[in-house]
Amino acid sequence: MRYSYFLSILAVLIALLFIPVRPVPAKAAPKTGIPQVTFDAIDYGFKGPDSIPAGLVSVRLVNKGKDLHHIQFLRLDKGKTIKDFIKAAKANPSMVYGNISWVKFDGGPNAVVPGESSSAVVYLEPGNYVVACIVPNAKGVPHVNLNMVKALTVKGPATAGASEPKAAVTITAHDFNLSPSGPIKAGRQTIRFDNKGTQPHEVLVVQLPPGKSIKDFSDAFAPGHSGPPPGKPIGGSTGIEKGSHMYFTADFKPGHYGLICFFEDAAKKAPHFALGMMDEFDVH
């Protein structure tokens, strides 16, 4: 995403931090044979394991900071290190949104407000990774450039005996739209996210207030706009490569919700949501 978009996005995203929130207690994950790991997000860094097994992994993000945070797993090509990534990211902040040829997006739990948590199941191949938060701060600086980055080793072979979660609904990403396969019911639901586009995509789930739309939420990120966006991020999936899929779990209360992708199209130099990559739905 271009640096100017970081500035406009964070000017309004930071206002979300003043929404009253109640810490969400940890919930036991179902026994699926999938290894479970937890990362705590702080301002600015991650506390969590240095290595995890390859294959399916259930990842829980606990936001213990005062800012919005997410987890983006980034797989590095052989021979590349976290130092190489930090150098590239600092040289050009927009590179963290898909313009580094030797970095692959492998998903993770998307953003939640302070005091809350989000969960996802990802498939990680053996190799060297970076755990990063690429949400920018109030000055437009991506958290990754404030040292919110952690080296991670994924050790193979993949753990045997694990099966993919059973999803209530599939959300499919194309260039440029997000479409659920059916209604999402109230309660704690596991959602599959499929990327059938030609570039990396994400999905952020936003709980919207009555009378507001995801378009109203996205309008708050236009340059020159002031005031808080109407909505609260409750998780989702961070970026995954084309042809990939992953799962996330979220608590859906009855109400109105939106889906949005903040990645940038390299050719059109515009965020995906500005190209129509949004959707909304009701939960009953």
Side-chain angles (χ1 to χ4, degrees), residues 84-110:
D84 296 320
F85 174 78
I86 291 173
K87 181 178 179 180
K90 287 185 175 181
N92 184 353
S94 69
M95 294 183 76
V96 298
Y97 268 87
N99 297 321
I100 306 177
S101 61
W102 41 268
V103 170
K104 299 296 183 292
F105 289 84
D106 275 353
N110 216 331

Side-chain angles (χ1 to χ4, degrees), residues 18 37 51 64 80 150 155 169 205 229:
F18 297 98
V37 298
S51 65
K64 294 185 176 180
K80 295 295 184 179
K150 176 180 173 59
K155 298 180 178 181
V169 173
V205 182

Side-chain angles (χ1 to χ4, degrees), residues 171-257:
I171 295 174
T172 302
H174 293 95
D175 306 334
F176 297 95
N177 63 67
L178 292 162
S179 56
S181 61
I184 297 176
K185 298 180 180 180
R188 190 164 179 81
Q189 305 291 349
T190 296
I191 310 296
R192 174 173 166 143
F193 178 53
D194 278 0
N195 184 358
K196 294 188 177 180
T198 62
Q199 56 187 288
H201 289 302
E202 67 167 343
V203 60
L204 177 68
V205 182
V206 181
Q207 186 177 5
L208 298 166
K212 296 298 182 179
S213 69
I214 193 62
K215 179 64 166 55
D216 296 324
F217 184 84
S218 70
D219 286 345
F221 305 112
H225 188 279
S226 61
K232 172 188 171 183
I234 65 165
S237 165
T238 52
I240 57 174
E241 297 289 332
K242 63 180 181 179
S244 300
H245 71 274
M246 59 164 283
Y247 300 83
F248 68 89
T249 301
D251 291 305
F252 292 89
K253 298 178 181 179
H256 196 53
Y257 289 79

Side-chain angles (χ1 to χ4, degrees), residues 28-229:
K31 295 181 180 180
T32 60
I34 301 175
Q36 301 172 39
V37 298
T38 298
F39 289 89
D40 292 340
I42 59 175
D43 304 328
Y44 295 99
F46 289 106
K47 296 180 179 179
D50 296 323
S51 65
I52 58 178
L56 291 169
V57 182
S58 177
V59 182
R60 183 169 182 259
L61 167 69
V62 181
N63 188 349
K64 294 185 176 180
K66 297 180 180 180
D67 206 342
L68 292 171
H69 293 304
H70 66 201
I71 284 178
Q72 177 68 68
F73 287 109
L74 299 167
R75 177 161 40 97
L76 308 180
D77 281 359
K78 188 175 181 180
K80 295 295 184 179
T81 68
I82 188 171
K83 291 183 179 180
D84 296 320
F85 174 78
I86 291 173
K87 181 178 179 180
K90 287 185 175 181
N92 184 353
S94 69
M95 294 183 76
V96 298
Y97 268 87
N99 297 321
I100 306 177
S101 61
W102 41 268
V103 170
K104 299 296 183 292
F105 289 84
D106 275 353
N110 216 331
V112 287
V113 297
E116 298 199 354
S117 65
S118 58
S119 299
V121 172
V122 297
Y123 186 91
L124 302 178
E125 298 180 1
N128 292 324
Y129 284 73
V130 166
V131 181
C133 179
I134 57 180
V135 175
N137 71 359
K139 296 181 179 179
V141 180
H143 293 171
V144 66
N145 286 346
L146 297 172
N147 296 319
M148 196 160 184
V149 57
K150 176 180 173 59
L152 178 72
T153 302
V154 177
K155 298 180 178 181
T159 303
S163 57
E164 293 193 3
K166 182 179 180 180
V169 173
T170 296
I171 295 174
T172 302
H174 293 95
D175 306 334
F176 297 95
N177 63 67
L178 292 162
S179 56
S181 61
I184 297 176
K185 298 180 180 180
R188 190 164 179 81
Q189 305 291 349
T190 296
I191 310 296
R192 174 173 166 143
F193 178 53
D194 278 0
N195 184 358
K196 294 188 177 180
T198 62
Q199 56 187 288
H201 289 302
E202 67 167 343
V203 60
L204 177 68
V205 182
V206 181
Q207 186 177 5
L208 298 166
K212 296 298 182 179
S213 69
I214 193 62
K215 179 64 166 55
D216 296 324
F217 184 84
S218 70
D219 286 345
F221 305 112
H225 188 279
S226 61

